[in-house]
Amino acid sequence: METMKNLTTLCLKQVIKPRPKQSHKGNFGKILIIGGNKNMSGAAIMSASAAVHAGAGLVTCATDSSNFFALHARLPEAMVVDHSDFETLTQAIKQADTIVIGPGLGLDQLARQILKITLSTVSPTATLIIDGSAITLLAQQNEPLHPTCQVIYTPHQAEWARLSGLAIAEQLPQANQSAQQRLAAHVVLKKYHTEIYHQDGTISRLPIGGPYMATGGMGDTLTGIIAAFMGQFKTLAPADVLDAAVYLHSAVASDLSQSKYVVLPTDIIEHLQAFMAQFS
Amino acid sequence: METMKNLTTLCLKQVIKPRPKQSHKGNFGKILIIGGNKNMSGAAIMSASAAVHAGAGLVTCATDSSNFFALHARLPEAMVVDHSDFETLTQAIKQADTIVIGPGLGLDQLARQILKITLSTVSPTATLIIDGSAITLLAQQNEPLHPTCQVIYTPHQAEWARLSGLAIAEQLPQANQSAQQRLAAHVVLKKYHTEIYHQDGTISRLPIGGPYMATGGMGDTLTGIIAAFMGQFKTLAPADVLDAAVYLHSAVASDLSQSKYVVLPTDIIEHLQAFMAQFS
Amino acid sequence: METMKNLTTLCLKQVIKPRPKQSHKGNFGKILIIGGNKNMSGAAIMSASAAVHAGAGLVTCATDSSNFFALHARLPEAMVVDHSDFETLTQAIKQADTIVIGPGLGLDQLARQILKITLSTVSPTATLIIDGSAITLLAQQNEPLHPTCQVIYTPHQAEWARLSGLAIAEQLPQANQSAQQRLAAHVVLKKYHTEIYHQDGTISRLPIGGPYMATGGMGDTLTGIIAAFMGQFKTLAPADVLDAAVYLHSAVASDLSQSKYVVLPTDIIEHLQAFMAQFS
Amino acid sequence: METMKNLTTLCLKQVIKPRPKQSHKGNFGKILIIGGNKNMSGAAIMSASAAVHAGAGLVTCATDSSNFFALHARLPEAMVVDHSDFETLTQAIKQADTIVIGPGLGLDQLARQILKITLSTVSPTATLIIDGSAITLLAQQNEPLHPTCQVIYTPHQAEWARLSGLAIAEQLPQANQSAQQRLAAHVVLKKYHTEIYHQDGTISRLPIGGPYMATGGMGDTLTGIIAAFMGQFKTLAPADVLDAAVYLHSAVASDLSQSKYVVLPTDIIEHLQAFMAQFS
């Protein structure tokens, strides 16, 4: 097993570069966020907002139709799709180059169907970020579908236990990596000092972040940043881009924690653009 | 009777401490805010917002379903439950370690049922904050249900008159304390120089705050701060945590009143994080 | 006829005073804003927001029920009433000590009914501010109802023409005052250098304000400020309080126009609290 | 063919002038924004918001009724009309002096009908800005209706290909101008260094702007600024006013890009008033 690389600000400098002058919104990702049932609408809103503020070109949110109002009130930059309209959802999945599934999706029958459609429809050239309830749903299946595209799982420790079969006490680097390699995907294991297991066998460790980030919605926000980065920095190595996205999330929070006792997901979202400006 | 302790900034220093590094959102309170009928949605929104901004880990709001849009447009960090869906409401009450009932709940039959379900379902290890119309509803009952968990009442003087039977002119410390001890609960008596009667027999007095706080929603905001504090500072003495929450609410307002003729509930909410940062 | 008094900052100093320490939200006005049909919801939102930010104790907005979401998303401090539920509306009118009717009310049959209920229900001790479409509706009636309470009309020149019968070219001070005295009300005639005709026979003139204020919603915002002032400064002479409210609206706009090409109604609302702080 | 004029800050100085003192909201444009279906509500919200912040006197948004809530939550200054209520829509078109059609309108049968009504109803003295899906719909028609009023098309390159019949590689100034002159309209061809073909035969070129503007909604925002400028600066040459509007959009973005990695449409909207203040 490789040793873990401790991430530093350098990982941001390597990824957040000036954009090519002759580029347009189509060059910076067609992102689809799938999530947000009637009770957890906010999760999808935060994921979509983080994506827009982190530089995504085009963001669409497939969510319960009752969530359209709040989403547009906060984020007019995003388009919406009713996630129970499977025909339109399928179309949206086909057009996206980067997809997040999971934030606030829930665990009911509709969520299960949406996940199934997503896994079977996603383009082989797309990147799929699987988070939250979508991880739990996948773990419940006997023979989980494995999409052929690039996949990034973003479990916290309990979700990783479900997906990997490793109890939290067993979640040591070597065991984690074995499980991750069986999944043939990147795994962002969210914990005190988050670990990122890349598909190429390298492992990164996040030395920043802290308990001021312990508010519901923090993980949803991370998915949006990852999506924006995978969508807009397509010419760079995916492992580097993923590291930068995860680092950015905590770096902004760490910065804001100097002046706030807790840093909310929406605080991070609001400061992404200014923080990223330091590196371009 | 004990003498009243005049609260000072010291009460914040004793409670608002750096968080343990290895902690997560589950450690900082699973808060449930129950309130907000069709006409008084804002009360529940302000209570939930105050809870999130004061550091609560997870906040769910059980409210009229027509309020979901405005709540999520303001506060995507919160989850929602339809408070007329009694099965889901019961589930949410069981899972919460800190509950607020009352802000904007109203006095109708549905409010009565919701209060009844809450009192009979709340976990014995939870903390229950009873405010506004929930106090009035309780006072109307001949034999009020007394939950076995820790209870905090937050009446203004007219509500305290209903609950204690003491006319406002009779609301002197000794009489207040006798009534409070019969309730076997903490009582935050909101008035010019708010008084806090603790279950352990001590009494605190709030020497700060002022008429710049005289806007509807101020009390709703206080309930959210109290909930966040009871939920996240569980290892400290409840009387100290309650004092700090009440003090914080007025301390932020007092600070903002230097530059604003009136300080709105939403102003206080917005500045909680920065104000708390001074003490950690 | 008296000469017109040119208003200066002095009129703010005389009215915006420190509040009595032992006071509560009930002392600073129970305001009811009646307006906002399906198409002009924003007018009622701006009026209610201005009232809250200018210091009103309690604000309720009687409006089309489809407007509840947007109102609460912007202003959780306000309560709402469905203005087509006449029983609840009547109750709300009876409880209010200051009422605004007109912003975004429209001219249809429902608007007519709501105006009729308001005029026949308003408490004799209340202050009633009649604006926008409510003025036009009143002018259309052959024998307009005259409530016995204190009334303030806030017409622009075309509305004043309808209400007074004076063509714009005829709207000279003496003619205006005669018409105003027949109405037995205060009249705020909104124009370049707004004129305020008081019930006591005095006239004030507003030398500030300018074309940076020429955005829809500016008049709605003024009604909310007037309501907040009439509601919270009840012990002062109504003419002085009305002058101060009208002056404040333009003084804030004038101040903001240093740094903004146009000053929006929502900009004024946002800066009311800080501007008023200079005078207390 | 004339040579292209490179736009500079001078174009703003020539147009953004102090307003006449005796003016009112009716003097600064009666703007109607037509767009925003259920899935692309944000486009209409951004167009309307840009219009209000850029100085429009009165803004109405004709959109899907499900979008009213989010629009009013963000922009109470605007009025709304249900765009599927053709009678009211027709009335609104007749009353407007400046109309935007297209942002988020979509391509379905309803969109087609709305476009047809707009083209046949618009006043000959009005200015009509045709954007986004409305351009695509027009290009699909065999014999497109040509309104007799002043028209401004705002296509990106793919839309211009559809409208002009010129493949992107063929979109050279002379060919573009020929196509534009056949349309008897102004054409703002949005690309790296946007080109503006005026009805009077002159051509301008925008040397500012950049890839930090590559977020969905950027074009919608431009339409609102153009509408506000055409509506409020009616006494100036239309070519100059159009140039100034297009320049302003990118000048604000360029300014904000000093401190933000990407500049969102809503960021531009928020800073329009302050940026314009430099020139008056």
Side-chain angles (χ1 to χ4, degrees):
Chain A
M1 202 190 82
E2 281 208 26
T3 51
M4 279 197 204
K5 184 172 69 177
N6 255 327
L7 295 177
T8 68
T9 308
L10 192 63
C11 77
L12 295 179
K13 286 189 192 137
Q14 284 170 341
V15 168
I16 305 173
K17 299 277 190 188
R19 295 175 155 195
K21 284 197 175 168
Q22 297 214 32
S23 52
H24 60 88
K25 61 186 173 187
N27 301 126
F28 300 110
K30 291 179 187 164
I31 315 286
L32 179 66
I33 310 293
I34 306 172
N37 63 15
K38 279 196 201 323
N39 297 325
M40 295 185 288
S41 162
I45 292 175
M46 290 182 282
S47 180
S49 298
V52 167
H53 285 255
L58 281 165
V59 175
T60 301
C61 188
T63 188
D64 188 279
S65 64
S66 68
N67 301 334
F68 290 5
F69 317 134
L71 179 70
H72 275 138
R74 290 193 74 87
L75 188 75
E77 284 88 352
M79 291 164 289
V80 292
V81 166
D82 180 344
H83 69 190
S84 70
D85 168 356
F86 292 158
E87 200 183 313
T88 310
L89 175 64
T90 299
Q91 211 49 44
I93 293 169
K94 283 186 181 156
Q95 286 165 6
D97 58 34
T98 316
I99 297 175
V100 172
I101 185 163
L105 183 65
L107 297 167
D108 63 8
Q109 185 51 28
L110 177 61
R112 215 174 294 272
Q113 284 178 282
I114 291 168
L115 177 60
K116 193 175 161 192
I117 290 169
T118 303
L119 294 176
S120 60
T121 310
V122 56
S123 154
T125 61
T127 294
L128 177 63
I129 296 133
I130 303 182
D131 181 61
S133 23
I135 295 177
T136 300
L137 285 175
L138 264 186
Q140 290 170 352
Q141 296 176 5
N142 287 331
E143 291 187 55
L145 255 174
H146 284 298
T148 54
C149 72
Q150 173 169 251
V151 173
I152 299 168
Y153 291 99
T154 54
H156 56 52
Q157 292 168 293
E159 287 163 348
W160 182 233
R162 283 172 217 141
L163 190 64
S164 67
L166 298 166
I168 292 179
E170 300 167 346
Q171 294 177 4
L172 300 172
Q174 201 148 359
N176 288 337
Q177 192 176 42
S178 300
Q180 168 257 331
Q181 289 289 337
R182 278 193 304 274
L183 290 165
H186 304 276
V187 171
V188 178
L189 177 53
K190 298 181 294 193
K191 45 180 285 237
Y192 178 65
H193 293 166
T194 286
E195 292 160 6
I196 311 173
Y197 296 86
H198 303 113
Q199 217 166 338
D200 65 10
T202 57
I203 313 176
S204 299
R205 188 171 161 285
L206 184 71
I208 58 169
Y212 44 80
M213 297 172 75
T215 301
M218 206 39 99
D220 308 315
T221 300
L222 175 60
T223 63
I225 299 175
I226 295 176
F229 270 50
M230 300 309 290
Q232 81 189 284
F233 301 117
K234 289 194 200 78
T235 60
L236 304 177
D240 291 346
V241 177
L242 178 56
D243 283 356
V246 174
Y247 192 89
L248 175 63
H249 179 247
S250 286
V252 174
S254 169
D255 197 41
L256 294 176
S257 74
Q258 302 302 313
S259 57
K260 286 171 186 269
Y261 183 70
V262 288
V263 177
L264 300 183
T266 47
D267 293 327
I268 295 179
I269 290 166
E270 201 185 321
H271 288 86
L272 284 168
Q273 298 160 267
F275 197 91
M276 289 176 71
Q278 303 170 51
F279 301 93
S280 69
Chain B
M1 203 190 81
E2 282 209 27
T3 53
M4 278 198 204
K5 182 172 71 177
N6 255 326
L7 294 177
T8 67
T9 307
L10 191 64
C11 76
L12 296 180
K13 286 189 192 137
Q14 284 169 338
V15 168
I16 305 175
K17 298 279 189 186
R19 294 176 156 197
K21 284 199 174 167
Q22 296 213 34
S23 52
H24 60 87
K25 62 186 172 186
N27 300 125
F28 300 110
K30 291 179 187 165
I31 315 286
L32 179 66
I33 310 293
I34 306 173
N37 64 14
K38 279 195 202 322
N39 297 325
M40 296 185 287
S41 163
I45 292 176
M46 289 183 282
S47 179
S49 298
V52 167
H53 286 254
L58 282 165
V59 175
T60 300
C61 188
T63 187
D64 188 279
S65 65
S66 67
N67 300 336
F68 290 5
F69 317 136
L71 178 71
H72 276 138
R74 288 193 75 88
L75 188 75
E77 284 87 353
M79 291 165 288
V80 292
V81 166
D82 180 345
H83 68 190
S84 70
D85 168 356
F86 293 159
E87 199 182 315
T88 309
L89 175 63
T90 300
Q91 210 50 44
I93 294 169
K94 283 186 181 157
Q95 285 165 7
D97 58 35
T98 317
I99 298 175
V100 172
I101 185 162
L105 183 66
L107 298 167
D108 64 7
Q109 184 52 28
L110 177 61
R112 215 175 294 271
Q113 284 180 281
I114 290 169
L115 177 59
K116 192 175 163 193
I117 290 169
T118 303
L119 295 176
S120 59
T121 311
V122 57
S123 154
T125 61
T127 295
L128 177 62
I129 297 134
I130 304 181
D131 182 61
S133 23
I135 295 176
T136 302
L137 285 175
L138 264 187
Q140 291 170 351
Q141 297 177 5
N142 286 330
E143 290 187 57
L145 255 174
H146 284 297
T148 54
C149 72
Q150 173 169 250
V151 172
I152 300 168
Y153 291 98
T154 54
H156 55 52
Q157 291 167 292
E159 288 163 348
W160 180 233
R162 283 171 217 141
L163 189 63
S164 68
L166 298 166
I168 292 180
E170 301 166 345
Q171 295 177 4
L172 300 172
Q174 201 149 1
N176 288 335
Q177 192 176 42
S178 300
Q180 168 257 329
Q181 290 286 340
R182 279 194 302 275
L183 289 165
H186 305 276
V187 171
V188 178
L189 177 53
K190 298 181 295 192
K191 46 181 282 236
Y192 178 65
H193 293 167
T194 287
E195 291 160 6
I196 311 173
Y197 296 86
H198 303 113
Q199 217 165 338
D200 65 10
T202 57
I203 313 175
S204 300
R205 189 171 161 284
L206 186 70
I208 60 170
Y212 44 81
M213 297 173 74
T215 301
M218 206 40 99
D220 307 314
T221 300
L222 176 60
T223 62
I225 299 175
I226 295 175
F229 269 50
M230 299 309 289
Q232 79 189 286
F233 300 117
K234 288 195 202 76
T235 59
L236 304 178
D240 291 345
V241 176
L242 178 56
D243 282 356
V246 174
Y247 192 90
L248 175 63
H249 179 247
S250 285
V252 173
S254 170
D255 196 40
L256 294 175
S257 74
Q258 303 301 314
S259 58
K260 286 170 186 268
Y261 183 71
V262 288
V263 177
L264 300 182
T266 47
D267 294 326
I268 294 179
I269 291 165
E270 201 185 321
H271 288 85
L272 284 168
Q273 298 161 267
F275 198 91
M276 288 176 71
Q278 303 170 52
F279 300 94
S280 69
Chain C
M1 201 191 81
E2 282 210 25
T3 53
M4 278 198 205
K5 182 172 72 176
N6 256 327
L7 295 177
T8 67
T9 307
L10 192 63
C11 76
L12 296 180
K13 286 189 192 135
Q14 285 169 339
V15 168
I16 306 175
K17 298 278 189 189
R19 295 176 155 196
K21 284 198 174 167
Q22 297 212 34
S23 52
H24 60 87
K25 61 187 173 185
N27 300 126
F28 299 111
K30 290 178 189 167
I31 315 286
L32 179 66
I33 310 293
I34 305 173
N37 64 14
K38 280 195 199 324
N39 297 324
M40 295 186 287
S41 162
I45 292 176
M46 289 183 284
S47 179
S49 298
V52 167
H53 285 255
L58 281 164
V59 175
T60 299
C61 187
T63 188
D64 188 278
S65 64
S66 68
N67 300 336
F68 289 5
F69 317 135
L71 178 71
H72 275 137
R74 288 194 75 88
L75 188 75
E77 284 88 353
M79 290 164 287
V80 292
V81 165
D82 179 346
H83 69 189
S84 71
D85 168 356
F86 292 159
E87 198 183 315
T88 310
L89 175 63
T90 300
Q91 209 51 41
I93 294 170
K94 284 186 182 158
Q95 286 165 6
D97 57 35
T98 317
I99 297 175
V100 172
I101 185 163
L105 183 66
L107 298 167
D108 62 8
Q109 185 51 28
L110 177 62
R112 216 174 295 271
Q113 284 179 282
I114 291 168
L115 178 59
K116 193 175 162 193
I117 291 169
T118 303
L119 295 176
S120 59
T121 311
V122 57
S123 153
T125 62
T127 294
L128 177 64
I129 297 134
I130 303 182
D131 181 61
S133 21
I135 295 177
T136 301
L137 286 175
L138 265 187
Q140 290 171 353
Q141 298 177 3
N142 287 329
E143 290 187 58
L145 255 174
H146 284 298
T148 53
C149 71
Q150 171 168 251
V151 173
I152 299 168
Y153 291 98
T154 54
H156 55 54
Q157 290 168 291
E159 288 162 349
W160 181 234
R162 284 173 216 140
L163 189 64
S164 68
L166 297 166
I168 291 179
E170 301 167 345
Q171 295 177 4
L172 299 171
Q174 200 147 3
N176 288 335
Q177 192 176 42
S178 301
Q180 167 256 330
Q181 291 287 338
R182 278 194 302 275
L183 289 165
H186 305 275
V187 171
V188 178
L189 177 55
K190 297 180 297 191
K191 46 180 281 235
Y192 178 66
H193 292 167
T194 287
E195 291 159 8
I196 310 173
Y197 297 85
H198 304 113
Q199 217 165 338
D200 64 10
T202 57
I203 313 177
S204 300
R205 189 172 161 283
L206 185 70
I208 60 169
Y212 44 81
M213 295 173 74
T215 302
M218 206 40 97
D220 307 314
T221 300
L222 176 59
T223 61
I225 299 175
I226 295 175
F229 270 51
M230 300 310 289
Q232 80 191 285
F233 300 117
K234 289 194 201 79
T235 59
L236 305 177
D240 291 345
V241 176
L242 178 57
D243 283 356
V246 175
Y247 192 88
L248 174 63
H249 179 247
S250 286
V252 174
S254 169
D255 196 42
L256 294 176
S257 76
Q258 303 302 315
S259 57
K260 287 171 185 268
Y261 183 70
V262 288
V263 177
L264 301 183
T266 47
D267 295 326
I268 295 179
I269 291 165
E270 200 185 322
H271 289 85
L272 285 168
Q273 296 161 269
F275 198 92
M276 288 175 72
Q278 302 170 53
F279 300 93
S280 68
Chain D
M1 202 190 80
E2 282 209 26
T3 51
M4 279 198 205
K5 183 172 72 176
N6 256 327
L7 295 177
T8 67
T9 308
L10 192 63
C11 76
L12 296 179
K13 286 188 193 138
Q14 285 170 339
V15 169
I16 305 175
K17 298 277 190 189
R19 296 177 155 194
K21 284 197 176 169
Q22 297 213 32
S23 52
H24 60 87
K25 61 188 173 185
N27 300 126
F28 300 110
K30 291 178 187 165
I31 316 285
L32 179 66
I33 311 293
I34 306 173
N37 63 16
K38 280 195 200 325
N39 297 323
M40 296 185 288
S41 162
I45 292 176
M46 289 182 283
S47 180
S49 298
V52 168
H53 286 255
L58 281 165
V59 175
T60 300
C61 187
T63 188
D64 188 278
S65 65
S66 67
N67 301 335
F68 290 5
F69 317 134
L71 178 71
H72 276 138
R74 289 195 73 88
L75 187 76
E77 283 89 352
M79 290 163 288
V80 293
V81 166
D82 180 344
H83 69 188
S84 70
D85 168 356
F86 292 158
E87 199 183 315
T88 310
L89 175 64
T90 299
Q91 210 49 43
I93 294 168
K94 285 186 180 156
Q95 286 165 6
D97 58 34
T98 317
I99 298 175
V100 173
I101 184 162
L105 184 66
L107 298 167
D108 63 8
Q109 185 51 27
L110 176 62
R112 215 174 295 271
Q113 284 178 280
I114 291 168
L115 178 59
K116 195 176 162 192
I117 291 169
T118 303
L119 294 176
S120 59
T121 311
V122 57
S123 154
T125 61
T127 295
L128 176 63
I129 297 134
I130 304 182
D131 181 62
S133 23
I135 294 177
T136 301
L137 285 175
L138 264 187
Q140 289 171 353
Q141 297 177 4
N142 287 330
E143 290 187 57
L145 257 174
H146 285 297
T148 54
C149 72
Q150 173 169 252
V151 173
I152 300 168
Y153 291 99
T154 53
H156 55 53
Q157 292 168 291
E159 287 163 349
W160 181 233
R162 283 173 217 139
L163 189 64
S164 68
L166 298 166
I168 292 178
E170 300 167 346
Q171 294 176 4
L172 300 170
Q174 202 148 0
N176 288 337
Q177 192 176 43
S178 301
Q180 169 256 329
Q181 290 287 338
R182 279 194 302 274
L183 290 165
H186 305 275
V187 171
V188 178
L189 177 54
K190 298 180 295 192
K191 44 179 283 233
Y192 177 65
H193 293 167
T194 286
E195 292 160 7
I196 310 173
Y197 297 86
H198 303 114
Q199 217 165 338
D200 65 9
T202 57
I203 313 177
S204 299
R205 187 173 161 282
L206 185 70
I208 59 168
Y212 45 80
M213 295 172 76
T215 301
M218 207 40 98
D220 308 314
T221 301
L222 176 59
T223 62
I225 299 175
I226 296 175
F229 270 51
M230 300 309 290
Q232 81 190 284
F233 300 117
K234 288 195 201 78
T235 60
L236 305 177
D240 291 346
V241 176
L242 178 56
D243 283 356
V246 175
Y247 192 88
L248 174 63
H249 179 246
S250 286
V252 174
S254 169
D255 196 41
L256 294 176
S257 75
Q258 303 302 314
S259 57
K260 287 172 184 268
Y261 182 71
V262 288
V263 178
L264 300 183
T266 45
D267 294 326
I268 294 178
I269 291 164
E270 201 185 321
H271 288 85
L272 284 168
Q273 298 161 267
F275 198 91
M276 289 176 71
Q278 303 170 51
F279 301 94
S280 68

